[in-house]
Amino acid sequence: MAEGITDFLNPTYELTFQDLFIPDKLLQLNIKFEKYFQTVNPEKFNEYFKYKTSKGNGYKESEISEILIFTSKIISDFLAELFNITGELNAIKNETLREKIIFLFKKEFIQRLVFKKYKIEDLEKYNFNELNDFVKEIKLVCYNNFLKDKNEDDEFNTALIVMEILEIAKEFRWFYEGDKFAPEGFEISERIKKCGKILIEDLKKKNLLNIEDENEALKQIVEKLAQWSFVRYYKDDTVNNWVSYKEPHKIDFENLVKFKRPDEEFNELITNYENHYRYREGFSLNDYQRREKDILSEVDYCMYCHEREKDSCSKGFYDKLGNKVKNPIGVTLNGCPLNEKISESHYVRKEGYPLASLALITLDNPMCPGTGHRICNDCMKGCIFQKQEPVNIPLVESSILKEILKLPYGFEIYSLLTRWNPMSIENPERKNFNGKKIFIVGAGPAGYTLAHYLLNEGFKIKMIDEIEIREVFKNYIENNKPVKNYFEEIYEDLNYRFSLGFGGATEYGITVRWDKNFLNVIYINLLRNELFEIESGKKFGRDYTVDQIWNDGYEHIALCVGAAKPNDVKVKNRDAKLIYGSTEFLSDLQIKDAINPAKDYLLKVKLPGIVIGGGLTAIDCSTELLNYYPVFLEKLFSGKDYNLNISEEEMKIYSEHYELIKNEKKVAEVENRKPDLVNLLRSIGGVKLVYRKRINDAPSYRENHEEIIECLEQGVDIVELFSPVEFMKDSEDNVSAVIFEKIIVEKDETGKLKFRNSGEFEELHAGTVVIAAGTNCNDIYNDEHPGTFEINEKTGYFELYNPSINGNITLQKNELGRKAVFTSYNKDGKFITVYGDSNSTFYGSVVKAMASAKFGAEQITKILS
Ligand SMILES: Cc1cc2nc3c(=O)[nH]c(=O)nc-3n(C[C@H](O)[C@H](O)[C@H](O)COP(=O)(O)OP(=O)(O)OC[C@H]3O[C@@H](n4cnc5c(N)ncnc54)[C@H](O)[C@@H]3O)c2cc1C
Ligand code: SF4
């Protein structure tokens, strides 16, 4: 038994923490939930039960949404009781409801009465000091007489006062003028009458108002408040982060990234739009902190399109003929590949139910820690707002998960929702062991998601990965110790986090822009399962062959091996030292922990750095190279011997740079400011990302232009329309420069862009080069064991098939474009499926890898049952 408290659950439910992992007990949990539901809301329970027993047949999508919404709130209340967190959840709900006033203020006042009425040209007409004095007095009267709910937040207080005065003014107007919206026989309430009179009298006494007519006086008060709010927007920095002033920007697809071309002679060079750069703290989580209010602002902006069955963020954006729409830069608006219930989850979050929201999210996306903010944006691209900024759905999703993880036993609540969710009609709870074993190769998003689904179906899973996976959090895994406080017990500062080795490219590739602690969550949750086994440092092909796996009694093999075989830049002197492939570079930083001050490993780099490529991997390599350099120097001069081959001349330069950095840090400390390492690093060479087309043509621009903005903000420069033709070496065989040919972009007669070589060359000095020119399907096993799989000659991906179950199982070649996971392998009734980045119908992103697993798990379950 684990140390610490294990039976922290509400005794009324007669379940222990350990019971929550046993399928039969989960069944009991479900029965208890239904009883609870029936007691608290018999009418809604009957609706839910009817839906469940009919398996959703005959229901309209909007009707299902409605049922899921009320059921999710009941799940939230039930779990709150089970985990004794009703108080905590009520506090969140109350806070959400309190903050609603801010969004009302935004809609009714800022948008309607301020920005619609006043124009920037009129700004100087208003005397800000006078308006401030006027409002100061209003605030005083309100607080002295009729408003109590004041807090530290100026935005909240302002919203409260303005909304109260709007209400007073409205009732006076109805009373004196009548209004089509006023109820029949409308009578002004005594309270409002009193408040209005106090306000008017006070302002008159202070000579701030001189109108006799009460109705007109109140109109003038509202007008002055509007003028004050308008001027404040331009003249008062303290409102810069007010959500009520936040307006969605229009989207200009041709100019998604704002940048500067600072050098007329070097027009291909692009730098950050602003002159200042964003300071980044080494390899700690590199992301802005958001307040709860910012998240609620996104939720408030959502139109809850499920009500009209138009939630394109989830289902995709269709035209009138039922075809999926492409946006102006050619991205098909598929929506969330997992069809997450986004709209519904926003709706319940707005009402103050984050746990209900998480229950809705996990219904389709149980591995949600692996998705979300700074990872995926298919949903955002599909959002109904196509001409203006979309709702920041991934930010909301990740924040909701964090809100729950912050609660006592929040980790365990999330974990429970991955194996029990009464909203799932087919699989409300994990099943018992079904006697069958499945072998999964690869612990990336495809592998861990597939393992999750198959474990819930009752399969035993063995997973291997060629990367060494650390054995950590043992007490939580082997002894099933409950995680009470995730942020104290599990969370690690990314700067000092040793690589887990788990999570495939999300661990070794995607950088600290994303919170890798989410991988810890998935890792513990998966490894706790008794039917799950992982063997790391084992390579499919070398340590395990297909026949061996069958001999070990497995019924199925799933290849979740990601992409491999990087595209190279095959030009002269490619063998120069300090030219790295992106996988090698990022893995050395993140898997071998070169970035970790406590780890005895260093990867040699020099500035200036050049990264060749235009995808997200290139973006990540460029920011990491820039930020790794100071860490590299710090470790190099720490006194440890890293066994690097460094010449005297190089050492001299390193030493100079190290002194500069040390000095800047010292000066910054004395001046009580953050060190300006970005400008310093730029002055000693910096990092350039070089792409052979225009930045607007780059895959990163189409897929996630926000990351280009972040990259420029961090001080990386971009050079577009440069194609590498030769590397130059120094006397030590290190790369010293790259020669590029300039590329000319033209439009052909149909308006299509054409790129042609110009015959003009330019040399860029380089101390390190990282090549990030894309990777291809991982069919290395087939190279080592030819003939095991059919590989499509054109695409290089596995040829795909669909199983046909007709007594026995046969494979039918996949039609072009349809989703499929079966390879051509079919021997003695045994099959091999392929997922994620190695599957031509799912490759390219984390969420697509997960979607492949969700899709494949269903098919495997079918053929093996
Ligand atoms: C730098 C970088 C940035 C990225 N940024 C984003 C992003 O912002 N958003 C996004 O959605 N996607 C991003 N991606 C892509 C995303 O990470 C991948 O699409 C996703 O991880 C694919 O999942 P997967 O499970 O198919 O493969 P992987 O994550 O690659 O996992 C495959 C696993 O299989 C293991 N393996 C491979 N061969 C063998 C073998 N023979 N034997 C045993 N084990 C083996 C590997 O070690 C690895 O752990 C990025 C990728 C990189 C490299
Ligand atoms: S996120 Fe966008 S598409 Fe989805 S429900 Fe909200 S507004 Fe509609």
Side-chain angles (χ1 to χ4, degrees), residues 301-306 310-313 342-343 346 382-385 391 393:
Y301 178 37
C302 178
M303 304 272 291
Y304 317 112
C305 307
H306 68 271
K310 292 271 184 228
D311 42 343
S312 49
C313 53
I342 295 164
S343 183
H346 287 180
C383 177
I384 203 87
F385 296 118
V391 178
I393 302 159

Side-chain angles (χ1 to χ4, degrees), residues 618-664:
I619 299 277
D620 278 346
C621 289
S622 60
T623 54
E624 301 321 273
L625 179 53
L626 190 70
N627 284 286
Y628 172 59
Y629 190 62
V631 177
F632 167 79
L633 293 179
E634 190 89 28
K635 285 177 81 172
L636 186 68
F637 290 100
S638 66
K640 270 189 204 148
D641 182 10
Y642 289 97
N643 207 11
L644 296 176
N645 194 4
I646 297 176
S647 70
E648 248 178 60
E649 198 188 327
E650 285 173 332
M651 207 55 175
K652 203 171 142 244
I653 298 172
Y654 283 147
S655 170
E656 275 170 26
H657 289 174
Y658 181 55
E659 285 308 315
L660 285 172
I661 290 173
K662 248 184 10 186
N663 192 44
E664 169 57 17

Side-chain angles (χ1 to χ4, degrees), residues 278 286 288 374 706-714:
R278 186 148 81 85
N286 162 36
Y288 295 110
R374 303 292 294 269
E706 285 91 352
E707 294 307 331
I708 304 181
I709 298 171
E710 295 273 347
C711 167
L712 289 165
E713 277 179 6
Q714 283 184 44

Side-chain angles (χ1 to χ4, degrees), residues 151-187:
N151 67 18
E152 295 300 300
D153 181 1
D154 187 25
E155 186 175 19
F156 174 81
N157 295 335
T158 308
L160 206 65
I161 288 170
V162 170
M163 293 314 289
E164 179 74 5
I165 292 176
L166 284 190
E167 185 59 29
I168 297 170
K170 184 185 80 181
E171 293 214 9
F172 272 76
R173 183 166 45 82
W174 283 0
F175 179 72
Y176 283 110
E177 297 177 20
D179 191 287
K180 63 177 178 187
F181 295 113
E184 237 182 75
F186 169 76
E187 279 292 337

